[in-house]
Each structure stands twice: as C-alpha cells, then as structure tokens.
Amino acid sequence: MTIRFNDETFRDDYSFRNSATAIRRFPFPFDKDDYMYSVNMEPHGTGGRAGSVFEKRFDVDEHYVAEMRDRAITLAGDPLRCQSLPHMELAGWDLLELIMQCKAEDYPDLFQLHRDGDRWHWINRPLGIEQRFTFLDPTTLPCGPMEYITRQAQGDFAVLDQRENNLWMDAGMVTSQADWSLDFDIGMNFFEWHAPVPKAAEMGIFQRALKFLLAIPQGAPSRRLNWTMTVNPRLDTSPENYHLWGPEKRTITPENVGAKQYLRVELQSFWRLPRSNALAFPIRCYLIALEDLVTVPKWARRLHRVIRDLPDELAEYKGFAVNRPIIIDYLAQFDDGKPTSPGIFPDD
Amino acid sequence: MRATEFSPSIPSRPVYGGLHPHGALPSLMLAEGAGGEALADLAQADPSVMRHAHLFYVPAGAATGPDLAVRLRALGPASYVEGPSYAALRPRFARALADAHMGTRLYLAGSEGLIGQAMAEALAAGLPLEAIDAEHRGGFARRVQCVHCKGITENVATDPFTCSHCGLNLFVRDHYSRRIGAFQGVCVDAETPGIVPEPQEIKP
Ligand code: HEM
C-alpha cells in the first residue's frame, strides 16, 4: 500500500487534515469510560494489528513529509530543541541504526538501507534524501547522528542515559511536545523531569514505571499511550513559544469547538539501544479534530464520559480546564448513554 | 538566623540539607552574605574542616557587615578569597574547581541563586553531587530562567515578575534545573495578554 503524503501545515493557516483512513486508524487512548494515570505499558514491535498505528515499529503516515517540514521550521527558529550531551553520541548512532533498519524493513518501498561493513547507503524516498556515510564517523554526516535521523522520523525523541539506577534525559529532539522544555529538562533524572505531574508520584506510578524501564532488554520494546487536548492542529505547543500560541487556546466557542479542538495522543515507545545501553523514547504525536473523532460512535460516547468525569487536577495540568465545559457540551450530543465495548478500537 | 525550612514542593525543587563537617578533607567553601554564618557554625562544630579549606566569600548584601568577613578569615582556612559578587568571584572559584583533586568536598551557603550557580559550575566541572553540602541562608529571592528568551533574572522576589531580558510577565514555577541553576519562568498572560495578576512576595 502506498501512502499519499499530505501537503499541509501545523501553524499559521493550519491546513492539516486527517483522511478517512487516518481517522479510522487513530490511536484512541481510552480502553474504558474513565481515565486515571496508571503504568499502562504493553509490548511493542512487529506484528501489531494490521492497518493500525501499532502495525509497524515506527509508524509512517500521510503526515510524514509535512511533519518533517514543520520540525525544520521549528529548529530553524530555536536550535535548542535538539540537544545531545557529549557522552550521548554513541547512543545517537544506536538510534540512527534502529530507525534506519526498522524503516527499511517495514517500508521497503519508501526507505532503503544498504550496508557494506561500516559504509552505509541510506535512501529516503518521501523526503528525497540519499546519503552515503561511514557508520560511527560523525564527519560523514551533515549533523550529529541523532539530529540527522530524527529530522527524518515523525515524533519527538528523548534519549535516556542509564546510570545509578535511574534514567537521565541527556539527549533529545523535541519540536512537537505537550508543553515541556527539553532545554530546561536536559540532564534531569526520571523523577526530576516528571516533577510537575500531579497525583502520579503519590500513586507510586513513577517508582514502578522506572523499575520497568530500567529492565527493558534489547529486542523487546514496550509502549504506552498518553493524551492531552490541543486547540488547532499545532505540533509546536512548546513552553518556549507559549506566548505565541497561548491566545489561540481562548478562541474556542460552541460553534467552532468540533473543528478547532483536537485530541492529541502520544504513542510512546521504549527501546534498549545495543552499544550505549541507553533507552530511546520516541513520542509520536497524533492529532484528531473532535468533529472527526465523533464519526466513530464508540469513541464519541467514551470521550464524553472520560472528559466529563476527569479529576480537575488532570484537566488543569493538561491545560484544557478553561475549555472543558464547551467540550463536554459538544460531546454530550453524541452520547446516548449506551454501553461501550472494551478496548480502544472501533466496533465495526 | 537558621537554615531555611522550605514548604513541601515538587521533586525537582531542591532542598538543602545543610552543612555537615566531613573532617579535615581538602575542600572548597563558598558563601555569600549571611551564608558566612553557616560556615562559621560549621567550623565551630568541627574546627578541623578549615585546615584544608579554600574559602571564597561574597560579603555583598549582608546585613552582617564586615565583621563576618573578619570572623571567617580568623577561622584559619588554607586560603581566603573575597569578591564583591559571585559573578566577580566566579573565575577564581572555577579555577579552584578545575584544580580540585578527587575526594574534594564543596560547602555552599547563601541565597538559592548563589547555591544554584555555584552548584551548576561544580557539577559541570565534574564534582559529584554527593560531594556537595549546601545550606540556604538569607532571603527567598529566586534565580529564574525565562523559558521563552532563555535569559536569567537574578533575585526575583515576586511572582509574577518582569523578565529583565525580554520584558514578558513571568510566573515562577517550582520546576528547577540543576544544570542551569534556576527555576523556570513562564509567561503568565500568554492566553490573555495584558491580564497580569497582582505580584505576590515569594515565600520559602
Ligand atoms: C523514559 C521515558 C520517559 C520520558 C522521557 C518521559 C517524559 C515526560 C515528560 C517530559 C513529561 C512532562 C512533564 C512536565 O509537565 O513537564 C511527562 C509526563 C508524564 N509522564 Fe512521562 N516520560 C517517560 C516515561 C513515562 C512512563 C513509563 C510513564 C508511566 C506511567 C510516564 C508517565 C507520565 C505521566 C502520567 C505524565 C503526565 C502526562 C499528562 O497528564 O499529560 N512517563 N513525561
């Protein structure tokens, strides 16, 4: 199946759209009618449900080319969105290998990787890139290995060093984040960068999650879903630019909420890297307008119940408390009170 | 004046465990203003800490006057260097960090801004966190980095405040970066430009 890449924007005129296919395969994050933080980890890898975003290891979809263009714009305005502490170079090469290998195996019509010892030849057809380079020799790439490959892979990436029984955010490419700053958090450990999250620490979630992550072996990646709400299909909801996108948050009305209010879902996965023993943490962002989401009746019913019953602290932290009443009123019209089936996928 | 007890906060917000004597080990000591008293208390608890201590002191801003500087010198550190501000003292302090051998202890005392900057400098120089004792003395003003322009404003006493670099109105988060040695400041009227809450004095 070939993918048609959209010509679209994630800023200014916001021409981003989801096709009917993209709507059906959206990673709806709620497997029941209510939501609270949990250690929601499950295995990730090849052999996920056909057609879903879990089918391939690094999902490539119709937004690929436009997302990479948006990343380049953000980086041009703020180079600190991509940082790697000096000891993370090897992990950068590990990540480059992982992504190139997975993309080439999972999408052979789009990506190719030819290796002859440490002389590699990479072809990225959607972005029109062809690069010959020497693996582990940084002088043969136009930029560092992590930056090079993450300019060609959808989603943000954090690369965590593992030491002292903790994970340290020592490298990352972060241009589509839900309001946190890589530049501020770089060098922090697992508990420090999670410090602003309400409730989860008291629930013991971070202790258990870290224990799980430290033990992830090579070749057995895991994943979890996280979510928030974003006004307009904007990838760069960074704190750095909050003063620029903040006013848009107050433009929601009962008339435009279906079109302007988006559910933002992060498919987060966890990969042990072979040479550096670092942990790669891709954070892939999917956006869907409420008016598209409600075309799946199960999702409409369930999202209404989740948002209506969500603890205030979570709505506040996720930043949509001001718009919550309008969102609930809008979704209520699609909730007939019928029971919903277990699991995240549509019924039909 | 005693070491500050801070109200409970989030895990990235630093807490300062106070200065505890580690005996006559090679050490660096850096204090500012009332922080000098914490060093004097330390020396009183165990005079041997001074034997191999290189002491740096910034009297500036101290209500304690010149006597404290005299008292610190009289404690008999291996060396004593004074400066009008941390910024001025920093090159000499950085040199001492670079010259420090394995096993050197660092004692820091003073405002959060001083502790934050000196700790960031020490960590960047390769000193392990466990080798650092810190005690907060003095006012509660914070060192805050503007998340937007990245400029750092020293001695922020109110929340919100105006970024001294870009002029945005920032609220002061408890989220803290040890690498930068600063709290995070975020635009308070981003969603409603011009509507800025009345500034409140920052409490411990
Ligand atoms: C090692 C990989 C991980 C990284 C790099 C990471 C990073 C982050 C960051 C930067 C935030 C935003 C914090 C802020 O407000 O500034 C966050 C939020 C959060 N993280 Fe993680 N995280 C990781 C793994 C996990 C895992 C395994 C869990 C398991 C439960 C988890 C649970 C959460 C939760 C519940 C939130 C709040 C999200 C929300 O309500 O929207 N994280 N994470």
Side-chain angles (χ1 to χ4, degrees), chain A residues 276-312:
Chain A
S276 57
N277 198 44
L279 196 73
F281 180 57
I283 312 158
R284 175 64 187 281
C285 171
Y286 294 87
L287 292 161
I288 189 169
L290 294 187
E291 66 186 12
D292 287 341
L293 183 136
V294 299
T295 61
V296 177
K298 170 180 167 181
W299 291 354
R301 290 187 187 106
R302 181 167 289 169
L303 185 64
H304 171 243
R305 297 167 199 178
V306 167
I307 300 294
R308 182 192 61 199
D309 302 337
L310 193 74
D312 288 342

Side-chain angles (χ1 to χ4, degrees), chain B residues 20-75:
Chain B
H20 303 283
H22 297 273
L25 292 176
S27 56
L28 301 179
M29 297 179 173
L30 171 64
E32 173 199 55
E37 284 171 9
L39 289 184
D41 291 350
L42 178 75
Q44 193 169 23
D46 178 1
S48 78
V49 294
M50 284 296 157
R51 204 174 307 151
H52 301 290
H54 298 279
L55 201 162
F56 296 81
Y57 186 53
V58 182
T64 43
D67 325 353
L68 189 51
V70 173
R71 268 168 61 209
L72 287 174
R73 207 187 271 264
L75 295 172

Side-chain angles (χ1 to χ4, degrees), chain A residues 35 37-41 158 160 167 169 178-181 185 190 193-198 200 205-206 209-210 213 224 226-228 268 270 279 281 283 314 317-318, chain B residues 173 175:
Chain A
Y35 177 81
Y37 293 145
S38 63
V39 187
N40 52 339
M41 312 281 281
L160 300 317
L167 292 168
M169 196 182 292
D179 210 3
W180 64 279
S181 166
D185 286 3
F190 193 79
W193 79 64
H194 278 123
V197 180
I205 284 178
F206 293 131
L210 177 62
L213 297 180
R224 66 184 288 266
N226 187 45
W227 67 279
T228 188
Q268 311 178 336
F270 307 88
L279 196 73
F281 180 57
I283 312 158
L314 269 70
Y317 171 73
K318 289 171 185 286
Chain B
R173 295 185 74 193
H175 201 28

Side-chain angles (χ1 to χ4, degrees), chain A residues 310-325:
Chain A
L310 193 74
D312 288 342
E313 268 170 290
L314 269 70
E316 197 62 55
Y317 171 73
K318 289 171 185 286
F320 67 89
V322 279
N323 293 320
R324 175 143 86 148

Side-chain angles (χ1 to χ4, degrees), chain A residues 78 80 83 85 164 168 179 181 183-189 191-193 195-196 201 239-243 246-247 249-250 319 322, chain B residues 10-13 129-130 145 147-150 168 171 173 175-180 182-193:
Chain A
D78 183 3
L80 294 179
Q83 294 193 45
L85 298 182
E164 298 165 33
W168 302 82
D179 210 3
S181 166
D183 180 52
F184 195 77
D185 286 3
I186 196 159
M188 288 188 191
N189 69 37
F191 300 109
E192 290 170 340
W193 79 64
E240 276 80 1
N241 286 333
Y242 177 44
H243 56 310
K249 268 179 70 176
R250 303 296 179 113
V322 279
Chain B
I10 64 174
S12 58
R13 197 246 184 281
L129 192 58
E130 307 79 57
Q145 186 194 42
V147 76
H148 311 288
C149 79
K150 305 294 177 188
L168 285 176
F171 68 95
R173 295 185 74 193
H175 201 28
Y176 183 89
S177 161
R178 248 194 328 249
R179 187 183 65 92
I180 304 169
F183 291 90
Q184 190 177 68
V186 179
C187 185
V188 69
D189 56 341
E191 297 178 24
T192 51

